[in-house]
Amino acid sequence: MAGPILGRLFLVFTYLNAGWLREQVCIYMCPYARFQSVMFDRNTLIVSYDQARGEPRGHRKKSLSHQQAREAGYGDCIDCDLCVQVCPTGIDIRDGLQFECISCAACIDACDSVMDKMGYPRGLVRYTTENALEGQKSRIIRPRLLGYFAALVLMMGTFAWAINDRMPLNFDAERERTQLYQTTRDGLISNVFTLSVRNLDDQDHTYQLTVAGLPSLTLDSNTINVPAGESRLKVVTVTANPDDLQQPSHNIVFSLQAQQNERIRLERETSFLGDIRR
Ligand code: SF4
Ligand code: SF4
């Protein structure tokens, strides 16, 4: 039931995000822009406009060679605005680093294509560091980077462990509410439980059902089949010898064990009720 609802929610939000909100998602909703600024330092590779090379910007005749443009006092930026037009968040990279930048590099490709057409060297907008832009040496391997790498390895390891440790089975055991217990013709005490079993695996499973907690406990049914990704209700009767019941309520434990995979096993504790007049 939750699957189709979630699927429709994803569909609606994908349509709203991609069809209507578009760059507003990048500017106002994406957390990347917010935390990237605290991770940066002067040695971080970022998409940058080389101000020293590009300024003073200005339109010029295409016939002007690179050398002639320099002699005429022009920088390499021809002020075509293509880098702004292709930017999904609508910013001008020539204004410097801005939090809206999602480092998609579309402006790099756009500017390189302009440089090619003009016969200028590529890389007016490029991946570089603040230190490199100021003519200083960049240090790529530094403690901050090693710290990020260690944090990344830790997170990936935790994620892998969580996936590996995930139990693809869930179930609840609920006792019949209308009658606390029954006495059988043989004088035994029985409780009726409804088991709600959810198979979270991508394979069908037959589960072996057992119950423990009192020496004489028996079940009227020991297996339950649940197809992949589905859930099933099963009503089971648990019977015990009244001689074992020393108090009105005893803790008992249901166990479900997948027959096809011994790793898939789950237990649920509940209570077995007997004669409360004892
Ligand atoms: S695409 Fe390159 S040349 Fe054109 S305005 Fe942007 S930085 Fe200047
Ligand atoms: S990399 Fe360039 S095109 Fe992409 S978001 Fe940043 S400034 Fe805009």
Side-chain angles (χ1 to χ4, degrees):
M1 191 63 194
I5 292 175
L6 270 180
R8 284 190 191 109
L9 274 178
F10 273 115
L11 191 72
V12 168
F13 280 113
T14 303
Y15 174 70
L16 287 176
N17 289 341
W20 293 89
L21 293 171
R22 293 189 290 191
E23 73 272 14
Q24 307 307 324
V25 176
C26 304
I27 297 172
Y28 297 111
M29 293 160 69
C30 176
Y32 173 71
R34 298 298 184 278
F35 73 71
Q36 70 172 347
S37 53
V38 295
M39 296 174 75
F40 277 9
D41 63 16
R42 300 183 58 79
N43 290 299
T44 304
L45 273 177
I46 47 173
V47 178
S48 299
Y49 166 70
D50 189 340
Q51 203 140 10
R53 186 184 140 189
E55 301 296 323
R57 66 187 79 162
H59 301 281
R60 70 213 59 181
K61 286 196 185 119
K62 201 181 164 202
S63 55
L64 223 57
S65 71
H66 192 223
Q67 185 61 32
Q68 288 167 331
R70 286 274 161 178
E71 285 165 7
Y74 288 118
D76 282 1
C77 176
I78 65 166
D79 207 12
C80 63
D81 263 0
L82 200 61
C83 52
V84 182
Q85 288 165 26
V86 298
C87 178
T89 62
I91 58 171
D92 188 341
I93 191 65
R94 293 171 297 173
D95 294 341
L97 178 63
Q98 294 146 78
F99 78 87
E100 292 96 336
C101 177
I102 55 171
S103 300
C104 67
C107 53
I108 296 181
D109 295 340
C111 190
D112 279 347
S113 73
V114 174
M115 295 295 108
D116 289 348
K117 278 183 199 143
M118 294 298 294
Y120 294 179
R122 289 179 159 211
L124 177 58
V125 180
R126 63 182 185 274
Y127 273 113
T128 186
T129 68
E130 282 186 65
N131 275 343
L133 282 174
E134 290 171 11
Q136 295 167 20
K137 205 166 173 286
S138 293
R139 263 191 332 133
I140 300 300
I141 305 294
R142 53 204 192 278
R144 173 189 283 254
L145 199 71
L146 296 176
Y148 291 154
F149 181 71
L152 189 66
V153 168
L154 187 70
M155 284 191 286
M156 286 171 69
T158 309
F159 181 64
W161 173 81
I163 289 195
N164 190 46
D165 200 52
R166 174 182 170 268
M167 180 58 66
L169 165 68
N170 202 350
F171 82 99
D172 299 312
E174 199 170 324
R175 191 167 358 80
E176 174 71 48
R177 290 183 189 276
T178 52
Q179 208 171 1
L180 296 181
Y181 67 92
Q182 295 96 44
T183 306
T184 68
R185 261 186 270 167
D186 308 334
L188 301 174
I189 302 295
S190 69
N191 283 195
V192 177
F193 293 87
T194 301
L195 303 185
S196 169
V197 183
R198 292 172 290 284
N199 179 358
L200 306 175
D201 206 357
D202 55 5
Q203 295 173 16
D204 299 350
H205 280 297
T206 299
Y207 301 101
Q208 192 72 37
L209 176 66
T210 53
V211 64
L214 290 169
S216 59
L217 285 180
T218 56
L219 278 165
D220 66 341
S221 175
N222 294 96
T223 56
I224 175 166
N225 298 309
V226 187
E230 295 194 15
S231 59
R232 290 284 182 272
L233 292 178
K234 183 161 180 90
V235 178
V236 293
T237 303
V238 183
T239 312
N241 190 322
D243 294 339
D244 287 344
L245 306 177
Q246 304 303 322
Q247 52 202 37
S249 173
H250 289 265
N251 286 344
I252 61 170
V253 178
F254 282 109
S255 301
L256 273 184
Q257 167 73 63
Q259 288 181 346
Q260 297 88 344
N261 185 342
E262 63 178 25
R263 212 181 60 81
I264 302 178
R265 179 186 173 83
L266 199 61
E267 295 185 345
R268 284 282 178 268
E269 191 174 300
T270 182
S271 53
F272 185 92
L273 301 184
D275 187 350
I276 55 173
R277 287 166 298 177
R278 277 172 168 272

